[in-house]
Amino acid sequence: MNGYRDLRVALLGSGSVGAQVARLILENGDELAARIGARLTLAGIAVRNLDAKRDVDLPRELFTTDAERLVQGSDIVIELMGGIEPARTLILQALEGGADVVTANKALIAAHGRELTDAADQVGAQLLYEASVAAAIPILRPLRESLAGDHITRVMGIVNGSTNYILDRMDRFGESTESAMRLASDLGFLEADPTLDVEGFDAAQKATILASIAFHTEVPDSAVYREGITGVTLDQIEAAKSAGFVVKLLAVAERLNAADGTEGVSVRVYPALIPREHPLAAVHEGKNAVFVEAESAGELMFYGAGAGGKETASAVLGDLVSVARRHVIGGPGIPGSTHAELPVLPIGEVLTAYQIMLEVRDEPGVLARIAGILSAHGVSAASVEQNISAGAEGSALLTIGTHEAREANLAETVEELRNDAAVSQVLSVIRLEGRA
Amino acid sequence: MNGYRDLRVALLGSGSVGAQVARLILENGDELAARIGARLTLAGIAVRNLDAKRDVDLPRELFTTDAERLVQGSDIVIELMGGIEPARTLILQALEGGADVVTANKALIAAHGRELTDAADQVGAQLLYEASVAAAIPILRPLRESLAGDHITRVMGIVNGSTNYILDRMDRFGESTESAMRLASDLGFLEADPTLDVEGFDAAQKATILASIAFHTEVPDSAVYREGITGVTLDQIEAAKSAGFVVKLLAVAERLNAADGTEGVSVRVYPALIPREHPLAAVHEGKNAVFVEAESAGELMFYGAGAGGKETASAVLGDLVSVARRHVIGGPGIPGSTHAELPVLPIGEVLTAYQIMLEVRDEPGVLARIAGILSAHGVSAASVEQNISAGAEGSALLTIGTHEAREANLAETVEELRNDAAVSQVLSVIRLEGRA
């Protein structure tokens, strides 16, 4: 058609995303050719087991178990196998062979992004992975290209759909953690190993990727501070609700000056309170959203589906068209940019605020004593609410919202409160994010 | 530094955006060079009147009144003069001279986008204009690139900040149209000619640009159906509020099949009710947001500041880095894609729903009679609410929400209701968008 040249595309993996990607390439050939200026030929689909693909509605002859051979002689390789190996080796082979690569593999990019990016840069090839974070939502390209002339200061995202689903059920319908989790599991929203979701590992991988692109800095997976949602109680959520907050599992990456002035970045995942009027508070069910703050652009938000075969395939196809266009034009891709190389600062350096709920003895002087503990650590209270009736006999419930302070000081404050004779129990400690 | 080559950048215009762009180029030279692989040299700033720029905090020697000469010999031209001429001629001269062009000029792109894009394609140059729609929000690049492998079915945006500010004040604080408009004017949110905002002309220009990119189709400015917000009353907004809706001025561009099966696009701007739980309902004050529906990606939203010197400069810089990178690599830009060339369908073909408020005679049989008028035009009611006490003596207030129908049929229905003896007054007619 129109004398377009052919580009050979190798597809590695044929799960729910892979099958959609194959279908789109096969069904939308003419339209893709018009957008690219070349025709995409699906050279093959590498799978582990041919028999398992018997009832997939794709031409049988496309399937092969020889991924390595399929990669050889391809112009573009799409890796949708997941996991580290053999995905990593196959991508390296593809890049060395001069192919461009598109992947949705968040675990691989989080762990080996630098190695793969360097390999691509060395041969002037392209490696794109938009689908690895927040599926259908265009976020990596806007961070990398649209904001290329700005200074991103903070990225704060709801990037794990299943934990958002769980917290949203608890918030909106008053469900218990267990009941919401069971429902999420029944609906297939949780990974085979649910700890990847509920302990924040999945969100941490995405935070790594977001941070490395936003700050042009390599962020090792292991440098991400991580707390999951298993400790979040319905009581916390309901207390948050009545105070005008909602609990969300946030992946935060930000530029930060340490106490000693060192410029660095902080990357962390934890459940936190955000004000109801914050745009992230309106992200319900399994949706994802990434809130970005930049010096000139101000506040931006990118919202949409964070999972799903079709949705993820949309992002893969966007990257595919992009690398194919560049393949036609020739010349090297945009180099992976890690020129800043800022240090990743420990969680103790982060400036944040705490909401602390205590059960205290209902006696004169207790409030002054607690205020003294805060101020000894340089922490000041933004709000203190006392609720006598809610506590046990002879005790009171105290909810303290702090001003922003270094995490290390806040943690020490909580530790001292926990050991103080006036405090019968530390009921809840949760961070506050997104306040104006 | 590092043996980078120089790229000569000509800046045309030095208003609030231009001054910020110049400042960012001058202040962030090293960082931009690292991201681009070349150093940007600000060759000059063309202004109409040198004296007017005396107190601008930029080197005096950069200013010139000879825009044409500045354009000659530049590698990249940034046009921020606004208006049609001389901007159009200067951009054409720049492109013919082999320069790449970045512009924020929505009026120019809406009216002459095709001519300029063709001129760029002919010489293999690039023309980018992210800042022309929704300022800081990355929306054109995601539509063009991230969703390049998807089918966009609908784009629905709040793309005019001042009308959103006015409607938001009315909705949240019960202010009258006049009072909210005066406040917007006092705060400098309205254009010098406020009809550009309140009559929807500004939003229509942006709708044209969004549609042409989303649907690869040329949409003439004149083909956009347009209604402003001057007819929106506080009564309408309060009635909407109590029914769970909010009134927003929407720019809608969608793929559509006409009644006779013709495939086309519809592009329109009007105030409409959207459900409170719709993500666009949470867009407050002068913020902008664009809600996108695509076949694979599903629903996406892009949110942020829709105006402001710094914010717009962020988008201009993003485009600047992008064209500069490509200038370094060589080879043509991504051609402007209008390969689909779908017809723009008239408003009568649009499928939408109406909310109609009537004052009717409070007599037996009136409801049946009105239902008969609806069904004679193939329109069916989704909800009917009668409120006797609210009407004048002997009359009742009727609020009808229709199911989706062709706009032509809905308009005929309203016309017949207006002329019916049972109807004393058509109090309000407003469209409904964004229902699940």
Side-chain angles (χ1 to χ4, degrees):
Chain A
M1 172 193 169
N2 293 339
Y4 285 136
R5 59 177 282 202
D6 277 350
L7 293 179
R8 285 173 57 87
V9 178
L11 183 57
L12 311 183
S14 178
S16 62
V17 181
Q20 290 290 340
V21 167
R23 186 183 62 76
L24 290 169
I25 293 174
L26 295 171
E27 286 178 6
N28 301 332
D30 289 350
E31 200 170 337
L32 289 168
R35 294 191 191 181
I36 293 165
R39 180 162 278 280
L40 299 178
T41 304
L42 189 55
I45 306 172
V47 293
R48 246 171 305 185
N49 181 348
L50 284 180
D51 290 337
K53 296 296 157 189
R54 212 159 256 168
D55 50 359
V56 172
D57 187 23
L58 290 166
R60 306 273 318 134
E61 67 274 16
L62 285 175
F63 290 100
T64 170
T65 53
D66 192 346
E68 221 166 302
R69 190 159 161 204
L70 179 62
V71 163
Q72 282 162 23
S74 290
D75 297 301
I76 298 167
V77 173
I78 303 175
E79 185 276 308
L80 301 171
M81 318 171 87
I84 304 297
E85 288 296 352
R88 177 182 150 276
T89 302
L90 287 165
I91 289 178
L92 288 171
Q93 286 171 353
L95 292 170
E96 280 155 19
D100 296 313
V101 174
V102 174
T103 176
N105 192 329
K106 59 179 179 271
L108 179 62
I109 296 295
H112 296 279
R114 181 57 169 278
E115 177 192 16
L116 298 174
T117 304
D118 284 349
D121 289 352
Q122 244 164 37
V123 296
Q126 303 166 85
L127 171 70
L128 294 183
Y129 42 88
E130 179 68 74
S132 66
V133 179
I137 309 175
I139 178 64
L140 302 187
R141 179 174 284 103
L143 288 179
R144 198 196 305 258
E145 299 186 34
S146 306
L147 293 166
D150 206 334
H151 284 137
I152 297 168
T153 50
R154 199 156 200 265
V155 179
M156 181 160 79
I158 295 170
V159 292
N160 179 276
S162 46
T163 48
N164 197 56
Y165 181 84
I166 292 166
L167 294 172
D168 190 47
R169 296 289 301 186
M170 294 170 75
D171 179 66
R172 294 207 290 170
F173 307 109
E175 280 179 30
S176 68
T177 322
E178 299 71 34
S179 150
M181 262 193 213
R182 205 161 39 234
L183 190 59
S185 175
D186 290 349
L187 290 167
F189 285 180
L190 287 168
E191 304 246 8
D193 175 3
T195 55
L196 294 180
D197 292 314
V198 298
E199 297 294 357
F201 290 101
D202 172 83
Q205 288 174 343
K206 292 161 180 169
T208 300
I209 299 172
L210 288 169
S212 67
I213 289 183
F215 304 124
H216 313 281
T217 280
E218 190 181 8
V219 178
D221 219 351
S222 56
V224 181
Y225 176 82
R226 184 186 45 74
E227 285 177 28
I229 64 160
T230 49
V232 177
T233 63
L234 187 56
D235 280 350
Q236 272 180 327
I237 285 179
E238 289 186 336
K241 198 169 186 171
S242 66
F245 292 93
V246 56
V247 178
K248 295 288 186 189
L249 182 68
L250 300 178
V252 184
E254 68 181 349
R255 264 178 201 269
L256 184 74
N257 287 331
D260 68 3
T262 310
E263 207 189 339
V265 298
S266 156
V267 190
R268 52 198 197 264
V269 170
Y270 47 56
L273 301 181
I274 54 170
R276 290 258 156 202
E277 59 275 15
H278 193 283
L280 284 176
V283 178
H284 298 299
E285 301 186 338
K287 294 283 187 182
N288 282 13
V290 182
F291 191 79
V292 177
E293 296 171 44
E295 275 176 17
S296 294
E299 298 179 346
L300 302 170
M301 190 173 79
F302 303 79
Y303 165 95
K310 263 187 4 176
E311 292 80 356
T312 310
S314 171
V316 171
L317 263 281
D319 278 354
L320 174 60
V321 169
S322 188
V323 299
R325 276 173 176 163
R326 148 135 330 297
H327 206 99
V328 171
I329 294 164
I334 296 167
S337 172
T338 51
H339 55 78
E341 298 299 6
L342 297 166
V344 182
L345 300 173
I347 184 74
E349 294 285 1
V350 169
L351 285 168
T352 184
Y354 272 22
Q355 192 205 59
I356 306 165
M357 287 172 69
L358 304 171
E359 195 181 291
V360 296
R361 280 189 290 124
D362 185 22
E363 290 173 5
V366 166
L367 205 57
R369 184 175 172 133
I370 285 170
I373 294 176
L374 265 69
S375 81
H377 292 281
V379 173
S380 68
S383 67
V384 178
E385 203 186 311
Q386 190 164 1
N387 191 335
I388 295 170
S389 63
E393 185 74 24
S395 74
L397 216 63
L398 212 58
T399 305
I400 304 165
T402 76
H403 279 295
E404 215 173 56
R406 296 266 171 209
E407 170 81 25
N409 297 337
L410 288 163
E412 283 164 20
T413 306
V414 171
E415 202 42 42
E416 191 167 337
L417 287 172
R418 209 182 291 279
N419 295 323
D420 194 87
V423 176
S424 2
Q425 220 185 120
V426 175
L427 297 166
S428 150
V429 178
I430 190 163
R431 293 175 187 85
L432 284 161
E433 297 284 351
R435 284 191 301 188
Chain B
M1 172 192 169
N2 293 341
Y4 285 135
R5 59 177 282 204
D6 274 353
L7 293 178
R8 283 172 59 87
V9 178
L11 182 57
L12 311 182
S14 178
S16 63
V17 181
Q20 291 291 340
V21 168
R23 186 183 61 77
L24 290 169
I25 293 174
L26 294 170
E27 286 179 5
N28 300 332
D30 291 348
E31 201 169 336
L32 290 169
R35 294 192 191 180
I36 293 165
R39 178 161 281 277
L40 299 177
T41 305
L42 189 56
I45 306 173
V47 293
R48 245 172 305 186
N49 182 346
L50 284 180
D51 289 340
K53 297 297 157 186
R54 211 158 257 165
D55 49 359
V56 172
D57 187 24
L58 290 166
R60 304 275 316 135
E61 66 275 15
L62 285 175
F63 290 101
T64 171
T65 54
D66 193 346
E68 224 167 298
R69 187 158 163 205
L70 178 61
V71 164
Q72 284 162 23
S74 289
D75 297 299
I76 297 167
V77 173
I78 302 175
E79 185 277 307
L80 300 171
M81 318 172 87
I84 305 297
E85 289 294 356
R88 176 182 151 275
T89 302
L90 288 165
I91 289 178
L92 287 171
Q93 287 172 352
L95 293 170
E96 280 155 21
D100 295 313
V101 174
V102 174
T103 176
N105 192 331
K106 58 178 178 275
L108 178 63
I109 296 295
H112 298 278
R114 181 58 168 278
E115 176 193 15
L116 298 174
T117 304
D118 285 350
D121 289 353
Q122 244 165 36
V123 296
Q126 303 165 86
L127 170 69
L128 294 182
Y129 41 89
E130 178 68 74
S132 67
V133 178
I137 308 175
I139 179 63
L140 303 187
R141 179 174 283 105
L143 289 179
R144 198 196 306 256
E145 300 187 32
S146 306
L147 293 166
D150 205 333
H151 285 138
I152 297 168
T153 50
R154 200 157 199 267
V155 179
M156 181 159 79
I158 295 170
V159 292
N160 180 275
S162 45
T163 48
N164 197 58
Y165 181 84
I166 292 166
L167 294 173
D168 190 48
R169 295 288 302 186
M170 294 170 74
D171 179 67
R172 293 206 291 169
F173 307 110
E175 280 180 29
S176 67
T177 320
E178 299 70 36
S179 149
M181 264 194 212
R182 207 162 36 236
L183 191 59
S185 174
D186 289 351
L187 290 168
F189 283 1
L190 287 167
E191 304 246 6
D193 175 3
T195 55
L196 293 179
D197 292 313
V198 297
E199 297 294 357
F201 290 100
D202 173 82
Q205 289 174 343
K206 291 162 180 168
T208 300
I209 298 171
L210 288 169
S212 66
I213 289 183
F215 305 124
H216 313 282
T217 280
E218 192 182 6
V219 179
D221 216 351
S222 56
V224 181
Y225 177 83
R226 183 184 48 72
E227 285 176 30
I229 64 159
T230 49
V232 177
T233 63
L234 187 56
D235 280 351
Q236 273 180 326
I237 285 177
E238 288 185 339
K241 198 170 184 169
S242 65
F245 292 93
V246 57
V247 178
K248 294 289 186 188
L249 182 69
L250 299 178
V252 184
E254 68 180 349
R255 266 179 199 269
L256 184 71
N257 287 331
D260 69 2
T262 311
E263 207 190 338
V265 299
S266 157
V267 190
R268 53 198 197 265
V269 170
Y270 46 56
L273 302 180
I274 53 171
R276 290 259 155 203
E277 58 275 17
H278 193 284
L280 284 176
V283 178
H284 297 299
E285 301 186 338
K287 293 284 187 180
N288 281 194
V290 182
F291 191 78
V292 177
E293 296 170 44
E295 275 175 18
S296 296
E299 300 179 344
L300 302 169
M301 191 173 80
F302 303 80
Y303 165 96
K310 259 184 9 173
E311 292 81 357
T312 310
S314 171
V316 170
L317 264 281
D319 279 354
L320 174 61
V321 169
S322 187
V323 300
R325 275 173 176 163
R326 150 141 315 305
H327 207 98
V328 171
I329 293 164
I334 296 168
S337 171
T338 52
H339 55 79
E341 297 301 5
L342 296 167
V344 182
L345 300 173
I347 183 77
E349 295 285 4
V350 168
L351 286 167
T352 183
Y354 272 22
Q355 191 204 61
I356 306 166
M357 288 174 70
L358 304 171
E359 195 182 290
V360 297
R361 280 189 290 126
D362 186 22
E363 290 173 5
V366 166
L367 204 58
R369 185 174 171 130
I370 285 170
I373 294 175
L374 264 69
S375 80
H377 292 281
V379 172
S380 67
S383 66
V384 178
E385 203 186 309
Q386 189 164 3
N387 192 336
I388 296 171
S389 62
E393 184 75 25
S395 73
L397 215 65
L398 211 60
T399 305
I400 304 165
T402 77
H403 279 296
E404 215 172 57
R406 296 264 172 210
E407 169 82 25
N409 298 337
L410 289 164
E412 283 163 20
T413 306
V414 170
E415 202 44 39
E416 190 168 337
L417 288 171
R418 207 183 291 281
N419 295 322
D420 193 86
V423 176
S424 4
Q425 219 185 332
V426 176
L427 296 165
S428 147
V429 178
I430 190 162
R431 293 177 187 84
L432 284 161
E433 298 283 353
R435 285 191 301 189

